[in-house]
Amino acid sequence: MRALLCLNFDFSFWIDPNSQTGREDERAKTYNRTKRVLFVVELVYALAFLLILLVSGASSALARSLEILATNIWLTVLLYVFIVGVAYDVIAVPLEFYGGFVHEHRYGQSTQTFSAWAWDQIKSKVVGFAIAAPLIEALYWLLRAYPHRWWLIASVLFIAFAVVMANIAPVLLMPIFYKFIPLRDEELKKRLLALCEKVNTKVRGVYEMDMSRKTRAANAALVGLGNTRRIVLGDTLFERYEPDEIEAILAHELGHHMNWDMWKGLLFQSAISMLGFFVASVVLNAYGASFGSRGPADITSFPLLVLTCAGVALVFLPVSNAFSRRLERRADSFALTITGDPAAFVSMMLKLGEQNLSEFEPNPIVEFILYSHPSVKRRIAHARRMFPAFEGKAAEG
Ligand SMILES: [Zn+2]
């Protein structure tokens, strides 16, 4: 779910850039190191939970009890997913609290009170379930109706689902978490709309989003498709950024739009999910019965299905990220070409890096495996390569 939203709502600068002083860079390093440890711990936690569910026989016991209780197969699937989902959410509370609240406050990134944070968690669980439940129902219907080809149909449906999500996210989902108001700075609005016009892109309005209620971090995005396409600026941008720096951010987002990156990302992800579903179909047939499953369409083997798809996604994580970094570099090239302003691009990168506590120069192996965007150092070096004259000017200054 989060990944799907990211395809459309570009978290470009979320993980990346950083700062000038050594002390701040050290702070960014420890902040990100802890985040990576938490990522691995959460992953191990989730995988262990699914494995225990399967091996202990709890999954098949739950499925059999629900079959007696529920009147039909759809309800059995729904109740199973609900119970397993709630059980995981409950045992994951300490991890989520530490990663999402304690750690962010310790580094001064979060501006949320505990109750606001908790309320956001509850909302995201409800929204997550409302989206996941129909998807899982559809997947199990395919498993029952097309036992041999379900994996192929499911991966095609994935694209259709992602397109629908891209359309409704800005108007239905994002307002659940943020308030949007039309941008009040008329001068900036004119400037940003002129940039869109320059590349023949129609947008339905420019909005500001109250990110400052939750975080210190800044971001901006071009979200939605067709009638829902709009420019969204985090209100955390307004104090520190010059209009030409905000323009550079929008230019990068327009680069994604002009290069059809959302569609490229969707095709890439659906290819990976096709492979994941295919491997899952083989694994479910071969090993499902060992865990008490009566066939691939039995909800008992749901943890096995998730484990297999997650395993495939993990193996391909470095490839997905390399693909993403390539699209990001091209969007940067596009931004630098249409604005012709490397100085604004570089100063924007440095400010965002500092504000979002990103590492200026992460460990290359970590960058290769985990970074969906090139590091700030690489992005700035890329800008300097595109404008050798600017590099000269910077060196003189
Ligand atoms: Zn981007």
Side-chain angles (χ1 to χ4, degrees):
M1 170 60 207
R2 200 171 297 163
L4 285 170
L5 276 178
C6 288
L7 282 176
N8 195 40
F9 182 60
D10 181 19
F11 287 87
S12 315
F13 308 105
W14 220 259
I15 327 172
D16 301 21
N18 198 7
S19 74
Q20 297 89 337
T21 69
R23 224 183 82 218
E24 295 221 355
D25 193 41
E26 201 44 53
R27 207 166 147 258
K29 274 195 189 325
T30 55
Y31 171 76
N32 286 293
R33 201 178 298 139
T34 309
K35 273 187 98 98
R36 285 196 293 277
V37 171
L38 284 166
F39 168 74
V40 174
V41 171
E42 249 173 83
L43 190 67
V44 171
Y45 214 65
L47 298 183
F49 172 77
L50 291 167
L51 208 61
I52 290 170
L53 203 60
L54 208 57
V55 176
S56 67
S59 180
S60 86
L62 178 63
R64 298 293 84 85
S65 326
L66 290 174
E67 271 166 9
I68 298 164
L69 208 77
T71 44
N72 64 58
I73 186 74
W74 297 84
L75 194 58
T76 306
V77 169
L78 185 72
L79 288 173
Y80 178 98
V81 172
F82 180 76
I83 293 169
V84 168
V86 170
Y88 180 73
D89 285 340
V90 168
I91 62 161
V93 162
L95 267 179
E96 293 208 357
F97 173 66
Y98 186 82
F101 190 80
V102 178
H103 182 62
E104 297 298 325
H105 274 274
R106 188 166 287 165
Y107 284 85
Q109 288 302 93
S110 175
T111 53
Q112 272 188 310
T113 59
F114 174 74
S115 55
W117 173 82
W119 179 230
D120 260 5
Q121 292 299 109
I122 294 168
K123 281 195 289 189
S124 73
K125 300 296 175 209
V126 172
V127 170
F129 183 76
I131 292 167
L135 274 182
I136 297 170
E137 288 283 9
L139 190 65
Y140 273 86
W141 171 73
L142 286 175
L143 269 154
R144 294 193 295 273
Y146 305 95
H148 302 294
R149 277 171 301 147
W150 68 269
W151 56 273
L152 193 64
I153 308 170
S155 37
V156 175
L157 285 181
F158 172 88
I159 303 183
F161 165 75
V163 173
V164 171
M165 287 301 296
N167 265 296
I168 65 168
V171 282
L172 284 182
L173 297 183
M174 288 167 65
I176 299 176
F177 300 96
Y178 294 99
K179 278 200 188 74
F180 292 87
I181 54 168
L183 182 64
R184 285 167 292 189
D185 185 338
E186 285 295 329
E187 205 51 47
L188 180 63
K189 184 172 154 187
K190 254 187 235 158
R191 210 174 153 157
L192 297 180
L193 288 175
L195 188 68
C196 294
E197 212 156 287
K198 195 173 164 184
V199 295
N200 285 320
T201 297
K202 283 199 168 50
V203 291
R204 303 282 170 121
V206 188
Y207 294 84
E208 49 183 272
M209 174 170 91
D210 60 344
M211 282 179 73
S212 59
R213 272 198 310 126
K214 300 180 198 281
T215 177
R216 261 195 80 234
N219 210 346
L222 181 69
V223 299
L225 290 171
N227 282 340
T228 64
R229 186 181 300 127
R230 55 192 65 192
I231 299 168
V232 171
L233 305 175
D235 60 357
T236 40
L237 281 169
F238 300 137
E239 261 175 42
R240 303 176 55 176
Y241 295 79
E242 301 298 329
D244 56 352
E245 292 168 335
I246 297 179
E247 199 176 54
I249 299 177
L250 177 67
H252 168 94
E253 300 302 326
L254 283 168
H256 283 309
H257 170 68
M258 299 305 286
N259 295 336
W260 297 84
D261 286 350
M262 196 196 83
W263 298 98
K264 289 178 191 164
L266 275 182
L267 281 177
F268 189 86
Q269 290 304 326
S270 68
I272 291 181
S273 45
M274 188 185 289
L275 184 69
F277 286 147
F278 173 71
V279 177
S281 76
V282 174
V283 170
L284 288 183
N285 278 312
Y287 302 104
S290 347
F291 304 106
S293 176
R294 290 174 185 164
D298 182 352
I299 191 74
T300 299
S301 49
F302 178 70
L304 190 58
L305 176 73
V306 179
L307 279 168
T308 313
C309 291
V312 170
L314 268 180
V315 168
F316 280 90
L317 185 64
V319 185
S320 300
N321 279 334
F323 179 74
S324 167
R325 287 194 301 269
R326 192 182 151 90
L327 300 184
E328 294 303 331
R329 198 169 49 242
R330 287 186 175 178
D332 281 350
S333 299
F334 180 92
L336 286 158
T337 307
I338 56 161
T339 61
D341 189 351
F345 181 88
V346 170
S347 63
M348 170 275 284
M349 273 289 156
L350 289 170
K351 279 186 190 177
L352 275 170
E354 191 190 345
Q355 189 171 1
N356 297 355
L357 267 187
S358 311
E359 281 179 90
F360 186 72
E361 189 181 5
N363 178 312
I365 299 168
V366 170
E367 188 179 352
F368 176 73
I369 298 173
L370 295 175
Y371 273 54
S372 60
H373 293 65
S375 65
V376 180
K377 189 187 177 188
R378 282 186 211 276
R379 294 177 86 166
I380 290 176
H382 175 63
R384 294 211 157 126
R385 269 197 305 277
M386 278 183 70
F387 290 86
F390 168 68
E391 185 163 30
K393 221 170 88 191
E396 284 161 31

